[in-house]
Amino acid sequence: MGGRGDRPGQPSGARSGRGGRGGGERLAVPPAEFTSYYGRPVLKEPVWTWDIAAYLFTGGLAAGSSLVAAGGQLTGRPVLRRAGRVTSLVAVGASAYFLIADLGRPARFHHMLRVVKVTSPMSVGTWVLSVFGPAAGVAAVSEVASWLPERGVWGVGRRVLPPVGQVAGLVAAVSAPALATYTGVLLADTAVPSWHEAYPELPVIFAGSALASGAGVGLVAASPGEAGPARRLAVAGAALELWGAHRVETRLGLLSEPYAVGRAGRLLRAGRVLTAVGVVGALLGRRSRVVSVVSGAALLAASVCTRFGIFHGGVASARDPRYTVVPQRERLARRAAGEG
């Protein structure tokens, strides 16, 4: 495996000598063509399909919605609290479905709970999901307390569920940051070049995306007068998401390329535009229900685009040997220069 046409001490595609009309430089060697043994890829392409990209989105949505619910709970905004709790339960249920679908059968999720390995993002994520899911479920179920009869067994539930739901909602909110970011750590922990090299930015992007999507739920569900915490969350999430996306598209050198071209590039550009539209609408729509709903929908769509864009960018980098070979050569050259 290697780049054909490379010569020692001379970079690929270098020009030497002068010739031709106008004194232009003549190409001495053909551009490097990266191949591997038997034409097989250098890295085994991830077998993950769209359901894992969807899992990245729903996990972030569950985490962000639980934070919106906690904001509504602590500031006395019942509609915001209810919308956040119900969305969080639905989203974490979808996350469990997508994860188990990827694992193949539910028993494998159970088997992962047999051990706790703090150095494994997958193990930590499984336990975080196991804490967050039941807490989000109890908090959401407690919302039906006001519909229960006042007498009998149902009356006991009517009195007990609200305080239990308050505690469960806070437990879900406390574990939400870990749920929102562990998937970014999980992707960066693989050998996929553009995911691995973006290890400082992926958790930040996923945290921002989670906050923005949770804020989107609040803006869609609550009236403008009750959506104050969601608006503040939208600004914070958009700032983190846009900063992180800008970094992966500019800091990684060659490994930024998969995030800027093809399907990943289109999705990430759409995500940036929708995030900007959403946050501007959140700030300007303080008195308009329509603007608030549109901005919330834009933030949710932006989160989908960002998660799928990051996913497809990493998969594209694993398919092309250039994204594995060139950075390795650059690291070896820097190491040799340092030792010299």
Side-chain angles (χ1 to χ4, degrees), residues 132-150:
F132 180 90
V138 171
V141 169
S142 71
E143 292 295 334
V144 305
S146 60
W147 299 346
L148 298 177
E150 296 183 358

PDB file of all heavy atoms in Angstrom, residues 132-150:
ATOM      1  N   PHE A 132     -30.203   7.264  32.647  1.00  0.00           N
ATOM      2  CA  PHE A 132     -31.024   8.339  32.092  1.00  0.00           C
ATOM      3  C   PHE A 132     -32.419   7.840  31.693  1.00  0.00           C
ATOM      4  O   PHE A 132     -33.425   8.502  31.978  1.00  0.00           O
ATOM      5  CB  PHE A 132     -30.323   8.936  30.872  1.00  0.00           C
ATOM      6  CG  PHE A 132     -31.086  10.048  30.226  1.00  0.00           C
ATOM      7  CD1 PHE A 132     -30.885  11.364  30.622  1.00  0.00           C
ATOM      8  CD2 PHE A 132     -32.016   9.800  29.214  1.00  0.00           C
ATOM      9  CE1 PHE A 132     -31.589  12.402  30.031  1.00  0.00           C
ATOM     10  CE2 PHE A 132     -32.726  10.829  28.626  1.00  0.00           C
ATOM     11  CZ  PHE A 132     -32.515  12.130  29.031  1.00  0.00           C
ATOM     12  N   GLY A 133     -32.480   6.688  31.024  1.00  0.00           N
ATOM     13  CA  GLY A 133     -33.749   6.208  30.489  1.00  0.00           C
ATOM     14  C   GLY A 133     -34.839   6.052  31.548  1.00  0.00           C
ATOM     15  O   GLY A 133     -35.933   6.635  31.409  1.00  0.00           O
ATOM     16  N   PRO A 134     -34.601   5.286  32.619  1.00  0.00           N
ATOM     17  CA  PRO A 134     -35.647   5.149  33.645  1.00  0.00           C
ATOM     18  C   PRO A 134     -36.017   6.476  34.301  1.00  0.00           C
ATOM     19  O   PRO A 134     -37.202   6.730  34.578  1.00  0.00           O
ATOM     20  CB  PRO A 134     -35.002   4.196  34.658  1.00  0.00           C
ATOM     21  CG  PRO A 134     -34.010   3.406  33.861  1.00  0.00           C
ATOM     22  CD  PRO A 134     -33.475   4.367  32.848  1.00  0.00           C
ATOM     23  N   ALA A 135     -35.016   7.340  34.529  1.00  0.00           N
ATOM     24  CA  ALA A 135     -35.323   8.634  35.149  1.00  0.00           C
ATOM     25  C   ALA A 135     -36.212   9.474  34.224  1.00  0.00           C
ATOM     26  O   ALA A 135     -37.201  10.080  34.679  1.00  0.00           O
ATOM     27  CB  ALA A 135     -34.020   9.381  35.446  1.00  0.00           C
ATOM     28  N   ALA A 136     -35.864   9.494  32.938  1.00  0.00           N
ATOM     29  CA  ALA A 136     -36.704  10.240  31.988  1.00  0.00           C
ATOM     30  C   ALA A 136     -38.098   9.634  31.898  1.00  0.00           C
ATOM     31  O   ALA A 136     -39.096  10.361  31.777  1.00  0.00           O
ATOM     32  CB  ALA A 136     -36.036  10.236  30.608  1.00  0.00           C
ATOM     33  N   GLY A 137     -38.195   8.295  31.983  1.00  0.00           N
ATOM     34  CA  GLY A 137     -39.491   7.636  31.917  1.00  0.00           C
ATOM     35  C   GLY A 137     -40.372   7.981  33.113  1.00  0.00           C
ATOM     36  O   GLY A 137     -41.556   8.312  32.943  1.00  0.00           O
ATOM     37  N   VAL A 138     -39.810   7.937  34.316  1.00  0.00           N
ATOM     38  CA  VAL A 138     -40.592   8.264  35.518  1.00  0.00           C
ATOM     39  C   VAL A 138     -41.049   9.721  35.479  1.00  0.00           C
ATOM     40  O   VAL A 138     -42.189  10.056  35.823  1.00  0.00           O
ATOM     41  CB  VAL A 138     -39.745   7.981  36.776  1.00  0.00           C
ATOM     42  CG1 VAL A 138     -40.448   8.522  38.025  1.00  0.00           C
ATOM     43  CG2 VAL A 138     -39.491   6.487  36.922  1.00  0.00           C
ATOM     44  N   ALA A 139     -40.127  10.607  35.059  1.00  0.00           N
ATOM     45  CA  ALA A 139     -40.487  12.033  34.990  1.00  0.00           C
ATOM     46  C   ALA A 139     -41.640  12.257  34.013  1.00  0.00           C
ATOM     47  O   ALA A 139     -42.558  13.039  34.291  1.00  0.00           O
ATOM     48  CB  ALA A 139     -39.264  12.844  34.569  1.00  0.00           C
ATOM     49  N   ALA A 140     -41.606  11.561  32.870  1.00  0.00           N
ATOM     50  CA  ALA A 140     -42.680  11.734  31.884  1.00  0.00           C
ATOM     51  C   ALA A 140     -43.995  11.149  32.391  1.00  0.00           C
ATOM     52  O   ALA A 140     -45.060  11.760  32.225  1.00  0.00           O
ATOM     53  CB  ALA A 140     -42.275  11.070  30.564  1.00  0.00           C
ATOM     54  N   VAL A 141     -43.934   9.976  33.018  1.00  0.00           N
ATOM     55  CA  VAL A 141     -45.158   9.339  33.526  1.00  0.00           C
ATOM     56  C   VAL A 141     -45.815  10.190  34.609  1.00  0.00           C
ATOM     57  O   VAL A 141     -47.045  10.244  34.738  1.00  0.00           O
ATOM     58  CB  VAL A 141     -44.831   7.923  34.055  1.00  0.00           C
ATOM     59  CG1 VAL A 141     -46.006   7.338  34.826  1.00  0.00           C
ATOM     60  CG2 VAL A 141     -44.444   7.000  32.899  1.00  0.00           C
ATOM     61  N   SER A 142     -45.003  10.893  35.383  1.00  0.00           N
ATOM     62  CA  SER A 142     -45.562  11.725  36.465  1.00  0.00           C
ATOM     63  C   SER A 142     -46.457  12.842  35.934  1.00  0.00           C
ATOM     64  O   SER A 142     -47.256  13.412  36.683  1.00  0.00           O
ATOM     65  CB  SER A 142     -44.423  12.324  37.293  1.00  0.00           C
ATOM     66  OG  SER A 142     -43.737  13.328  36.566  1.00  0.00           O
ATOM     67  N   GLU A 143     -46.338  13.146  34.651  1.00  0.00           N
ATOM     68  CA  GLU A 143     -47.160  14.212  34.069  1.00  0.00           C
ATOM     69  C   GLU A 143     -48.639  13.828  33.997  1.00  0.00           C
ATOM     70  O   GLU A 143     -49.487  14.695  33.784  1.00  0.00           O
ATOM     71  CB  GLU A 143     -46.640  14.575  32.676  1.00  0.00           C
ATOM     72  CG  GLU A 143     -45.292  15.248  32.671  1.00  0.00           C
ATOM     73  CD  GLU A 143     -45.307  16.615  33.347  1.00  0.00           C
ATOM     74  OE1 GLU A 143     -46.382  17.250  33.369  1.00  0.00           O
ATOM     75  OE2 GLU A 143     -44.263  17.026  33.870  1.00  0.00           O
ATOM     76  N   VAL A 144     -48.945  12.538  34.143  1.00  0.00           N
ATOM     77  CA  VAL A 144     -50.355  12.121  34.076  1.00  0.00           C
ATOM     78  C   VAL A 144     -51.023  12.220  35.440  1.00  0.00           C
ATOM     79  O   VAL A 144     -52.215  11.914  35.571  1.00  0.00           O
ATOM     80  CB  VAL A 144     -50.491  10.674  33.541  1.00  0.00           C
ATOM     81  CG1 VAL A 144     -49.803  10.518  32.197  1.00  0.00           C
ATOM     82  CG2 VAL A 144     -49.922   9.660  34.542  1.00  0.00           C
ATOM     83  N   ALA A 145     -50.277  12.636  36.469  1.00  0.00           N
ATOM     84  CA  ALA A 145     -50.828  12.638  37.833  1.00  0.00           C
ATOM     85  C   ALA A 145     -52.102  13.467  37.932  1.00  0.00           C
ATOM     86  O   ALA A 145     -53.066  13.078  38.613  1.00  0.00           O
ATOM     87  CB  ALA A 145     -49.764  13.161  38.805  1.00  0.00           C
ATOM     88  N   SER A 146     -52.122  14.603  37.259  1.00  0.00           N
ATOM     89  CA  SER A 146     -53.288  15.491  37.386  1.00  0.00           C
ATOM     90  C   SER A 146     -54.541  14.896  36.750  1.00  0.00           C
ATOM     91  O   SER A 146     -55.656  15.382  36.999  1.00  0.00           O
ATOM     92  CB  SER A 146     -52.961  16.845  36.744  1.00  0.00           C
ATOM     93  OG  SER A 146     -52.656  16.670  35.367  1.00  0.00           O
ATOM     94  N   TRP A 147     -54.403  13.875  35.931  1.00  0.00           N
ATOM     95  CA  TRP A 147     -55.553  13.228  35.281  1.00  0.00           C
ATOM     96  C   TRP A 147     -56.126  12.084  36.127  1.00  0.00           C
ATOM     97  O   TRP A 147     -57.175  11.540  35.791  1.00  0.00           O
ATOM     98  CB  TRP A 147     -55.150  12.662  33.914  1.00  0.00           C
ATOM     99  CG  TRP A 147     -54.671  13.707  32.956  1.00  0.00           C
ATOM    100  CD1 TRP A 147     -54.814  15.064  33.073  1.00  0.00           C
ATOM    101  CD2 TRP A 147     -53.980  13.484  31.727  1.00  0.00           C
ATOM    102  NE1 TRP A 147     -54.249  15.699  32.008  1.00  0.00           N
ATOM    103  CE2 TRP A 147     -53.731  14.758  31.146  1.00  0.00           C
ATOM    104  CE3 TRP A 147     -53.550  12.356  31.057  1.00  0.00           C
ATOM    105  CZ2 TRP A 147     -53.058  14.926  29.946  1.00  0.00           C
ATOM    106  CZ3 TRP A 147     -52.890  12.508  29.841  1.00  0.00           C
ATOM    107  CH2 TRP A 147     -52.646  13.773  29.292  1.00  0.00           C
ATOM    108  N   LEU A 148     -55.415  11.686  37.188  1.00  0.00           N
ATOM    109  CA  LEU A 148     -55.859  10.550  37.988  1.00  0.00           C
ATOM    110  C   LEU A 148     -56.970  10.966  38.961  1.00  0.00           C
ATOM    111  O   LEU A 148     -57.019  12.129  39.389  1.00  0.00           O
ATOM    112  CB  LEU A 148     -54.676   9.973  38.772  1.00  0.00           C
ATOM    113  CG  LEU A 148     -53.517   9.420  37.927  1.00  0.00           C
ATOM    114  CD1 LEU A 148     -52.385   8.949  38.842  1.00  0.00           C
ATOM    115  CD2 LEU A 148     -53.990   8.269  37.042  1.00  0.00           C
ATOM    116  N   PRO A 149     -57.859  10.015  39.352  1.00  0.00           N
ATOM    117  CA  PRO A 149     -58.893  10.322  40.354  1.00  0.00           C
ATOM    118  C   PRO A 149     -58.266  10.714  41.691  1.00  0.00           C
ATOM    119  O   PRO A 149     -57.141  10.324  42.002  1.00  0.00           O
ATOM    120  CB  PRO A 149     -59.659   8.995  40.464  1.00  0.00           C
ATOM    121  CG  PRO A 149     -59.356   8.256  39.208  1.00  0.00           C
ATOM    122  CD  PRO A 149     -57.967   8.647  38.824  1.00  0.00           C
ATOM    123  N   GLU A 150     -59.008  11.472  42.479  1.00  0.00           N
ATOM    124  CA  GLU A 150     -58.476  11.943  43.761  1.00  0.00           C
ATOM    125  C   GLU A 150     -58.593  10.908  44.860  1.00  0.00           C
ATOM    126  O   GLU A 150     -57.933  11.034  45.894  1.00  0.00           O
ATOM    127  CB  GLU A 150     -59.179  13.228  44.169  1.00  0.00           C
ATOM    128  CG  GLU A 150     -58.928  14.389  43.208  1.00  0.00           C
ATOM    129  CD  GLU A 150     -59.590  15.674  43.673  1.00  0.00           C
ATOM    130  OE1 GLU A 150     -60.273  15.619  44.719  1.00  0.00           O
ATOM    131  OE2 GLU A 150     -59.438  16.702  43.004  1.00  0.00           O
TER     132      GLU A 150
END
